[in-house]
Amino acid sequence: MQSEPEVTVRLRFAPSPTGYPHLGNIRTALFNWLFARHHNGKFILRIEDTDVTRRVEGAVETILDSLRWLGLNWDEGPYFQSQRLPIYREIVHKLLDEGQVYLCYCSPQRLEKMRQEQIKRKQPPKYDRRCRDLTQRERTQLEAMGVTPVIRFKTPLAGETTFLDLIHGLVTFKNDTLDDFILLKSDGYPTYHLANVIDDHLMAISHVLRADEWLSSTPRHVLLYQALNWQAPQFAHLPMILGPDRAKLSKRHGATTITEYQKQGYLADAMVNFLALLGWSLDDHTELLSREDLIKHFSLERVGKTAAIFNKDKLEWMNGVYLRALSLGEFVQQAMPFLDRDLPETVKRPLDNDYVSQVLSLIQERAKTLADVPQLASFFFDDVQYDAGLLLSKKRDAKSAAKAMTIASQKLEEITTWDATTIEDVLRPLATKLNLSTGELFGLLRIAITGRTAAPPLFQTMAILGKGKCLERINKALQLLSGLC
RNA sequence: GCCCCUAUCGUCUAGAGGCCUAGGACAUCAGCCUUUCAAGCUGAAGAUCAGGGGUUCGAAUCCCCUUGGGGGCACCA
């Protein structure tokens, strides 16, 4: 027996509710989830709401909705850091007693000015440690002036900090390039650095999978773990997802909130599959992987190091693949809300499930997203509207078009069994008789019936639409044609 | 300015010294199928593996430098 139960694997997704989650955030969540599930571990959700000023209304709900939509179920949480303030304070005060941190009374204004000057002198902007060695007297004085201090970490002045990143390997930072970062803000809230270290330890997180942007703050965290005499978790910094302009994804360039993709008609499974392939791959040819496949095969060794620009075309393609793989029943179920939402108000609700099902059997392989469905299927529900000129072509003047349609109409009228085969049996020979190519005749009818030049197969369309509607529309086309004669 | 990460087709990627005259996918183009569209199938084009030095019998793969890209340097996460 060499397989031990890996009960110690505990991963967390720790978003901050300062905005709505985008592709990059969720990709991080997905990798954490996949890693946890692969190792039969736990996936924990923690909300890092320690910035009161940047809190965004509804962000937490959107985060939860996003995870639920994609099926990234969590085992614990959500924990809220704002509810754990006493824990952070207690620990940071212990550090204060030990002299590993110190009170800093510098005003934000002074710090800002200091930074400006450093930048002007082409120096790296770093806190100048003015308060690091204050005497008790000086402290009392400042305190008396009513200055609320922050607590800073006493970063070692020399030496270096090295840690093993599971994706990047060993990474080393010289300690003198780090400054004395703030642990506790003057409003009593911890900074990210403090809270994430404490919580990851207290929540027994075994692996921290987060975006690459955190790599440079990891030495601070490592130093903190050392100061607290705690064992640091394993780190793995994931490649970032960049916008089309190659810059970090942000609201600025329309970093779409993940739930927006749901509204745009993407399937959760397709999204998960697609996201998994942004920075991870199974081999040199597998593109389509089910959730189970992903869990089974996911590993950090196969996570890449280079940032990726997300390719919407490929997402669309993949969504189409997933859409087509659905059973008709599932497709109907998924598409129904979109029909409800986007079909013109004049279309009677509720939509008839049977009819919708027939219609969608023709739409399914033509839709790339569920949001395409109403538009692709609209003529099945609503009257057709088109430019009469469409009925004409180089080889087809108004007169011959009218003639063709009149005869077609008569022939169709005679049909008693209204199904696709019968309709085809009637119309196909008619083309020859009228000395038209099948394309010509069917194209003409297609416009009359659907109002467009590109539509699902004509005979099936007509069969579903029903005899009455078809004849009615041919009639309408005839009227339009008479106006052109 | 300093620090860190990184570098294979337009994009996502395979490649862990010889299997690579670099493979797959999306997108693009062409053909087939066909009543249009879509789907499907076939094929094409597309990467001097950023550049330059090494190491080696042999490098996309290892090392160094340069360059490019990204990230970080807040009482934001």
Side-chain angles (χ1 to χ4, degrees), chain A residues 65 81 88 99 126 143 156 236 280 288 301 304 317 339 428 441:
Chain A
D65 285 347
Q81 291 187 323
Y88 310 124
K126 272 168 58 183
E143 209 89 36
W280 176 87
L288 270 13
E301 290 82 71
W317 161 76
L339 286 168
R428 200 171 280 281
L441 177 61

Side-chain angles (χ1 to χ4, degrees), chain A residues 95 99-103 126-133 151-162 173-183 193 216-227:
Chain A
L95 251 18
Q100 304 211 72
V101 304
Y102 62 94
L103 298 166
K126 272 168 58 183
Y127 176 56
D128 61 6
R129 297 181 160 132
R130 174 185 279 202
C131 298
R132 181 157 163 144
D133 297 305
I151 294 183
R152 287 184 186 269
F153 184 68
K154 269 191 196 167
T155 301
L157 273 9
E160 49 185 41
T161 300
T162 297
F173 287 79
K174 288 195 176 55
N175 290 154
D176 63 16
T177 64
L178 273 25
D179 70 352
D180 290 354
F181 53 100
I182 293 174
L183 297 176
H193 304 303
S216 34
S217 39
T218 305
R220 300 177 225 279
H221 305 158
V222 171
L223 252 14
L224 248 181
Y225 280 107
Q226 285 169 6

Side-chain angles (χ1 to χ4, degrees), chain A residues 260-266 334-349 351 369-379 381-382 452:
Chain A
E260 211 33 55
Y261 289 96
Q262 181 181 20
K263 292 193 193 111
Q264 288 173 17
Y266 292 94
Q334 296 275 5
M336 195 61 100
F338 288 82
L339 286 168
D340 246 331
R341 186 187 74 184
D342 293 343
L343 243 25
E345 288 176 21
T346 48
V347 177
K348 275 200 302 286
R349 312 295 207 282
L351 270 11
T369 69
L370 292 166
D372 289 344
V373 173
Q375 135 73 7
L376 288 170
S378 65
F379 61 86
F381 300 93
D382 203 11
R452 27 183 117 167

Side-chain angles (χ1 to χ4, degrees), chain A residues 302-364:
Chain A
R302 299 204 58 85
V303 173
K305 297 178 182 174
T306 59
I309 299 170
F310 117 96
N311 178 200
K312 192 163 182 168
D313 280 337
K314 187 160 180 176
L315 205 214
E316 275 193 3
W317 161 76
M318 191 171 278
N319 200 58
V321 172
Y322 274 82
L323 242 25
R324 275 172 253 129
L326 257 29
S327 71
L328 181 57
E330 288 167 337
F331 183 64
V332 170
Q333 197 190 337
Q334 296 275 5
M336 195 61 100
F338 288 82
L339 286 168
D340 246 331
R341 186 187 74 184
D342 293 343
L343 243 25
E345 288 176 21
T346 48
V347 177
K348 275 200 302 286
R349 312 295 207 282
L351 270 11
D352 180 74
N353 206 281
D354 263 7
Y355 183 67
V356 167
S357 179
Q358 288 183 62
V359 169
L360 293 199
S361 70
L362 297 185
I363 300 303
Q364 187 167 8

Side-chain angles (χ1 to χ4, degrees), chain A residues 224-330:
Chain A
L224 248 181
Y225 280 107
Q226 285 169 6
L228 288 160
N229 211 350
W230 289 344
Q231 160 126 56
Q234 306 244 62
F235 294 104
H237 289 90
L238 274 16
M240 310 244 298
I241 296 176
L242 272 22
D245 60 349
R246 303 206 59 91
K248 185 172 156 181
L249 224 46
S250 78
K251 312 95 222 165
R252 253 176 299 116
H253 44 293
T256 322
T257 301
I258 200 79
T259 48
E260 211 33 55
Y261 289 96
Q262 181 181 20
K263 292 193 193 111
Q264 288 173 17
Y266 292 94
L267 255 22
D269 285 344
M271 202 72 207
V272 164
N273 190 160
F274 176 78
L275 248 24
L277 257 21
L278 233 40
W280 176 87
S281 63
L282 174 61
D283 52 32
D284 63 347
H285 64 276
T286 310
E287 304 284 342
L288 270 13
L289 294 108
S290 68
R291 231 167 257 266
E292 293 68 37
D293 290 338
L294 291 171
I295 290 170
K296 183 171 167 202
H297 298 294
F298 186 81
S299 82
L300 255 23
E301 290 82 71
R302 299 204 58 85
V303 173
K305 297 178 182 174
T306 59
I309 299 170
F310 117 96
N311 178 200
K312 192 163 182 168
D313 280 337
K314 187 160 180 176
L315 205 214
E316 275 193 3
W317 161 76
M318 191 171 278
N319 200 58
V321 172
Y322 274 82
L323 242 25
R324 275 172 253 129
L326 257 29
S327 71
L328 181 57
E330 288 167 337

